[in-house]
Amino acid sequence: QAQLVESGGGLVQAGGSLRLSCAASGSIFSINAMGWYRQAPGKQRELVAAITGGGSTNYADSVKGRFTVSRGNAKNTVYLQMNSLKPEDTAVYYCHADLMEVPGTPWYGYWGQGTQVTVSS
């Protein structure tokens, strides 16, 4: 079965940078879009950034100009470079990917386990 494993979260001061990584592994035939969501305490999970298999990107307005999403050369990894971090970026960040495990079967959305990002003021 496919799975997503994230890394790179942590504690950083406001204005600092972090880079999140997510790798898809297991039974995977094809991967389409990958991206990052986040959920702060008491709030709904929201899209942060996403990138299609063709390289098109989409960002939440709150992170435009500060965050950059990219794919690895093998296309099974996705990164989120976060610069100029603010306390309001504090949240659990989740990797998401649209995967097809077996040819001809439906695409399913998979989630990573989440990684905590804390930005201190």
Side-chain angles (χ1 to χ4, degrees), residues 3 11 13 15 24 26 29 37 42 49 52 54 60 70 87 93-94 109 113 116:
Q3 62 176 352
L11 173 65
Q13 288 188 332
F29 171 70
Y37 289 71
T52 68
S70 61
Y93 283 69
Y94 296 92
Q113 79 283 1
Q116 178 70 45

Side-chain angles (χ1 to χ4, degrees), residues 39-44:
Q39 187 167 19
K43 295 187 177 181
Q44 289 189 334

Side-chain angles (χ1 to χ4, degrees), residues 13-75:
Q13 288 188 332
S17 298
L18 282 175
R19 187 179 191 235
L20 305 183
S21 301
C22 172
S25 62
S27 177
I28 299 172
F29 171 70
S30 184
I31 304 175
N32 193 1
M34 300 184 78
W36 295 90
Y37 289 71
R38 67 187 180 186
Q39 187 167 19
K43 295 187 177 181
Q44 289 189 334
R45 191 173 296 189
E46 62 175 1
L47 173 69
V48 176
I51 182 168
T52 68
S56 298
T57 57
N58 182 37
Y59 294 93
D61 288 343
S62 60
V63 306
K64 284 180 180 177
R66 300 188 298 122
F67 290 11
T68 302
V69 63
S70 61
R71 298 279 286 264
N73 289 334
K75 304 298 182 184

Side-chain angles (χ1 to χ4, degrees), residues 106-118:
W107 295 90
Y108 286 110
Y110 286 77
W111 293 95
Q113 79 283 1
T115 184
Q116 178 70 45
V117 171
T118 303

